[in-house]
Amino acid sequence: MKPAHLLATMLTGLLAGTCLAQEKNAPKAPIERQILSRQMASGAGAREIVTASVSVAPGVRAGWHVHPGEEISQINEGEATLHIAGQPPRKLKAGDSFVIPAGVAHDAQNHGAGPLKVFAVYLVEPGKPLASPVSPPQE
């Protein structure tokens, strides 16, 4: 192998390794939603079923928001307080589940020392944003 080609190969490997290290060390977003699947529900009504894995960093609030359909979720890891407009706050822990009706404003805050991990199923109107921010309700 020619010295110039060897040097170029080494530099490329070094640069790729540096990029991977930076990516691994990059701070994670306070809230991460990974869509796992999307498919149309059977029958009339044209609803889409979206499953997602959601992770919320310690101390972080999701912020008040609504969905264009129902949310059915289960806490897999961590502790949170769930706020649903018109209802008292609920303390949730791993194993607890909850349902939020379509268009109802809600918020949640991670109170654990580690990430809050939630498995969510959304039954929503297709083509609309999965979540839209709203102002906190006046109670």
Side-chain angles (χ1 to χ4, degrees), residues 12-59:
T12 301
L14 181 62
L15 189 61
T18 302
C19 289
L20 285 174
Q22 287 175 348
E23 187 176 297
K24 285 183 182 179
N25 295 329
K28 290 191 168 212
I31 300 174
E32 295 179 336
R33 180 186 288 133
Q34 178 185 9
I35 302 300
L36 303 173
S37 69
R38 288 181 177 269
Q39 77 178 55
M40 293 303 294
S42 60
R47 294 288 183 157
E48 182 180 30
I49 303 166
V50 180
T51 61
S53 175
V54 182
S55 181
V56 181

Side-chain angles (χ1 to χ4, degrees), residues 29-31 55-63 77-81 83 107-117:
I31 300 174
S55 181
V56 181
V60 171
R61 278 189 94 125
E77 209 176 293
E79 300 174 357
T81 300
H83 302 271
D107 186 12
Q109 182 172 11
N110 179 353
H111 288 294
L116 174 67
K117 297 197 176 191

Side-chain angles (χ1 to χ4, degrees), residues 31 33 54 56 61-69 71 73 82-85 98 100-109 120 122 129-137:
I31 300 174
R33 180 186 288 133
V54 182
V56 181
R61 278 189 94 125
W64 286 93
H65 62 283
V66 296
H67 303 287
E71 174 185 349
S73 292
L82 176 65
H83 302 271
I84 300 175
F98 57 92
I100 300 171
V104 174
H106 58 285
D107 186 12
Q109 182 172 11
Y122 304 95
L130 191 54
S132 299
V134 295
S135 298

